[in-house]
Amino acid sequence: MDTRELADLAIDIAREAGELARRRRGEGVAIAATKSALADIVTEADREVELLIRDRIATARPDDGFLGEESGAERGASGLTWVVDPIDGTVNYAYGIPHYAVSIAVVEGEPDPQAWDALVGVVYSPAVDELFQARAGEGAWLAAHRLQVLEPTDAGALLATGFGYDPATHAGDLARLGRIMPVARDIRRAGAASLDLAYVAAGRLDGYVERGLQPWDHAAGALLVREAGGEVTGMPGERPGRTMTIAASPALHSRLAERVFHES
Ligand code: IPD
Ligand code: CA
């Protein structure tokens, strides 16, 4: 399948959506509701941006399915599904921290991260106007620059992680962080999983480990990492998912996985 047209559409929509998010941020942000936990918020802008994306996809590709963070899932007839996080990094967004992104992936097959094959991934950071994109088999790119994951230097790996919204998971997250710390030169908790993955692809981070991601958090970013020569997995033998996501160069990935899964 020629994925160029799909990628062009995803890029156009991500740019338009990102521009809307940036404009709404400038006008002031209202929390619309809390979701899974008190810390898990949704703003009016998240909903508005997702509606815009959904509307554009439905107009251009009425047979495709949709899986979005704010408005749910709808199966399509074409075998393709658009997996969308309208604003990844919502807490940053609500606090006025400009590290947030629109994440759009087009996947083929069952709309389940354990089963799908990602064809296109786009992560757009409107505050700095950076658009990361990948097509299966065609590499990952930031503008005209082809992305390549890096190996850490002797100083150790610059790692990123995140913490779920559910306080009950924090002790486990911190214990895991303690186990990977010996590999790290330093840790970042920047607040937007799609950008953590895009930054691994771009060599701005050496690796990334997080439990608790939703499909729309990693769908586009995981393709970016793979197309930049990296490895992204979940639990042993699985693809990235709710229970674990580990992304890095193949060599660092196996060192991280060993520490993540060997608890003593
Ligand atoms: C969150 C961010 C965050 C990650 C959370 C995600 P949201 O997505 O990606 O970095 O740690 O697990 O839920 O809620 O901002 O779209
Ligand atoms: Ca979101």
Side-chain angles (χ1 to χ4, degrees), residues 20-157:
L20 175 62
R22 209 173 59 81
R23 202 165 65 239
R24 288 289 180 260
R25 178 55 254 182
E27 292 162 3
V29 164
I31 310 297
T34 56
K35 300 195 287 183
S36 62
L38 277 179
D40 185 5
I41 53 170
V42 56
T43 72
E44 294 292 354
D46 291 81
R47 290 175 174 169
E48 190 186 359
V49 173
E50 182 155 319
L51 282 183
L52 175 126
I53 295 170
R54 195 166 184 157
D55 187 59
R56 292 286 181 276
I57 295 166
T59 303
R61 306 219 18 127
D63 292 339
D64 292 355
F66 185 85
L67 174 61
E69 173 163 20
E70 314 301 346
S71 65
E74 189 180 331
R75 273 185 178 268
S78 67
L80 302 185
T81 303
W82 292 66
V83 185
V84 170
D85 192 341
I87 300 180
D88 182 39
T90 298
V91 175
N92 283 346
Y93 185 77
Y95 273 73
I97 297 172
H99 192 76
Y100 60 90
V102 177
S103 176
I104 300 179
V106 187
V107 304
E108 190 170 33
E110 275 302 295
D112 168 354
Q114 295 305 315
W116 71 40
D117 290 312
L119 301 179
V120 167
V122 174
V123 176
Y124 179 52
S125 177
V128 289
D129 191 23
E130 285 187 326
L131 189 137
F132 301 85
Q133 53 142 321
R135 291 193 286 139
E138 301 291 336
W141 303 81
L142 171 57
H145 178 66
R146 186 162 188 169
L147 305 181
Q148 174 65 49
V149 296
L150 294 182
E151 293 296 344
T153 67
D154 291 345

Side-chain angles (χ1 to χ4, degrees), residues 40-41 69 85 87-91 162-165 189 191-194 196 208 210-214 216-217:
D40 185 5
I41 53 170
E69 173 163 20
D85 192 341
I87 300 180
D88 182 39
T90 298
V91 175
F163 305 97
Y165 293 119
R189 194 295 183 247
S194 62
D196 289 332
Y208 167 66
E210 184 165 351
R211 190 211 55 80
L213 294 190
Q214 301 284 354
W216 41 83
D217 294 321

Side-chain angles (χ1 to χ4, degrees), residues 220-235:
L223 183 64
L224 287 166
V225 173
R226 286 201 188 96
E227 287 296 323
E231 207 165 304
V232 193
T233 61
M235 296 302 280

